[in-house]
Amino acid sequence: MGQLLWRVARNQQLQQEFAEQGYLVREHGRRSTCQADAMHPRRPAPVGIDLYQLLKARKAKEEQSFIDLERLPPELSITILSYLNATDLCLASCVWQDLGNDEYLWQGLCKSTWGHCSIYNRWSPPGFSYRRLYMQLDEGSLTFNANPHEGMDYLVSRGILMDHPKEMAKFIFYTRTLHWKMLRIYLDDRRDVLDELVTLHNFSDQFLPNALREFFRHIHAPEERGEYLETLITKFSHRFCICNPTLVRELHLSPDAVYVLCYSLILLSIDLSSPHVKNKMSKREFIRNTRRAAHNISEDFVGHLYDNIYLVGHVAA
């Protein structure tokens, strides 16, 4: 950033010196001074902050720190601030008091990190501070990643979240600060929250493997087979059929058939991606094995499923 500012300042210095000297290059390398300023008036100086003058003044005063952001153009200050994370902004607030007390800044940080909280939709009481809310949300997320139930209790006890499965599901769906292992533990215990979380997904007009990837991107699949994985696939199958009634009617799909296809896709993903499997499953074998369990599914549709896994990759990675 410093080199970029100095390059801009140097270009402005050369242009200023060239304009002040008023030299005009003629043929044969001869130079003459322009005396007719009235006939050729110089363009007015641009309105705004001269970066060269700032750098020159800083150098003259032998300042070692960076230029105060308040003296820079707003767009440049915003660019600098965009490289700072939340911790850096908190530290910067000790220096830039206006920034640290800017409620619009803290409101944007809250809503960009935690997309949904019940408190966003309530009337703000007197003395409400988004900066304080950010600290509480950050503390709640850290607590959740250590103990998910205590983390949710922390947010509910401070009025940030309503003690309702739908509100908790929205908080989880629009938040990216929760660790997937702790999230899996919480959803395995709170099936009511899991049900609400599944309904937030919209799989309309999505190819089955792509919809399954999106589902496992928000709700991570367990590393081992078991009752929890079966529950996830069952809930996904019902939701996929609800979102795609036309496809269900045309291909004669049902939640049970989608369940079988999802399990086949997961097994195929493991077979094709695992380095321990030497003899990979062929497309013909996948079609034959899948249609044994789902008789009404067309061979072309199952073949497209195989092609997607082969080209795109694992559905639960």
Side-chain angles (χ1 to χ4, degrees):
M1 178 65 72
Q3 294 180 353
L4 177 61
L5 293 177
W6 179 253
R7 191 178 298 112
V8 173
R10 182 57 179 168
N11 292 337
Q12 292 183 354
Q13 179 188 15
L14 294 176
Q15 294 176 2
Q16 183 177 2
E17 293 176 354
F18 185 82
E20 291 176 353
Q21 293 174 1
Y23 289 137
L24 297 178
V25 180
R26 293 185 175 181
E27 296 180 358
H28 309 296
R30 293 179 300 173
R31 297 180 301 179
S32 64
T33 306
C34 178
Q35 302 293 342
D37 289 340
M39 297 179 61
H40 303 280
R42 191 183 307 168
R43 290 187 302 175
V47 178
I49 304 298
D50 191 341
L51 295 181
Y52 169 68
Q53 296 297 333
L54 288 177
L55 291 173
K56 185 177 180 180
R58 175 173 175 266
K59 185 177 180 180
K61 296 180 180 179
E62 297 182 354
E63 298 178 2
Q64 299 298 325
S65 60
F66 193 75
I67 300 173
D68 191 350
L69 292 184
E70 294 182 354
R71 301 171 63 188
L72 294 176
E75 60 274 9
L76 185 55
S77 300
I78 294 175
T79 302
I80 295 174
L81 294 177
S82 65
Y83 288 95
L84 303 181
N85 56 27
T87 303
D88 294 332
L89 287 173
C90 291
L91 295 175
S93 66
C94 299
V95 180
W96 301 312
Q97 293 297 328
D98 292 340
L99 174 65
N101 297 323
D102 190 347
E103 281 295 298
Y104 288 103
L105 172 65
W106 290 106
Q107 179 181 1
L109 287 174
C110 288
K111 294 187 176 181
S112 62
T113 308
W114 298 275
H116 176 84
C117 289
S118 304
I119 198 172
Y120 293 161
N121 301 324
R122 300 181 198 168
W123 177 77
S124 300
F128 175 81
S129 171
Y130 275 100
R131 179 178 180 177
R132 187 183 306 110
L133 176 62
Y134 183 94
M135 302 304 174
Q136 292 176 340
L137 285 169
D138 187 58
E139 180 67 22
S141 298
L142 293 175
T143 305
F144 184 95
N145 293 333
N147 188 314
H149 294 284
E150 289 185 4
M152 283 297 185
D153 292 341
Y154 175 89
L155 297 174
V156 171
S157 63
R158 281 155 179 78
I160 299 174
L161 275 181
M162 293 178 59
D163 190 7
H164 190 278
K166 188 173 184 179
E167 289 296 308
M168 295 178 177
K170 288 182 178 181
F171 176 79
I172 293 173
F173 186 81
Y174 294 106
T175 299
R176 299 295 179 265
T177 60
L178 307 180
H179 196 277
W180 64 271
K181 289 186 177 180
M182 295 303 170
L183 186 58
R184 187 180 67 186
I185 294 174
Y186 181 78
L187 294 176
D188 194 13
D189 294 338
R190 292 292 305 268
R191 297 299 176 88
D192 54 343
V193 179
L194 177 60
D195 292 338
E196 295 292 343
L197 186 58
V198 172
T199 59
L200 293 176
H201 291 81
N202 184 10
F203 303 122
S204 301
D205 300 326
Q206 290 191 22
F207 195 36
L208 180 60
N210 297 332
L212 195 58
R213 288 189 186 94
E214 180 183 342
F215 180 72
F216 284 135
R217 191 176 298 117
H218 289 93
I219 307 175
H220 292 269
E223 299 175 354
E224 66 285 341
R225 302 180 194 176
E227 188 268 338
Y228 180 61
L229 178 60
E230 295 177 357
T231 300
L232 292 181
I233 298 178
T234 301
K235 294 182 181 299
F236 168 82
S237 302
H238 283 84
R239 182 61 181 171
F240 183 83
C241 292
I242 293 175
C243 295
N244 296 277
T246 303
L247 182 66
V248 169
R249 183 173 59 255
E250 292 177 352
L251 298 179
H252 306 288
L253 291 176
S254 65
D256 292 337
V258 175
Y259 179 93
V260 172
L261 294 177
C262 290
Y263 244 114
S264 298
L265 291 173
I266 293 175
L267 296 177
L268 177 64
S269 300
I270 297 174
D271 184 273
L272 295 181
S273 61
S274 176
H276 304 290
V277 180
K278 302 301 180 182
N279 298 321
K280 305 296 184 182
M281 185 183 299
S282 65
K283 185 175 183 179
R284 185 183 299 274
E285 292 173 336
F286 177 74
I287 294 175
R288 183 179 65 249
N289 296 337
T290 303
R291 296 196 68 199
R292 285 178 181 175
H295 307 284
N296 296 329
I297 307 302
S298 67
E299 182 175 337
D300 291 338
F301 182 75
V302 178
H304 292 323
L305 296 178
Y306 181 93
D307 294 338
N308 183 277
I309 302 300
Y310 184 84
L311 297 175
V312 180
H314 210 299
V315 294

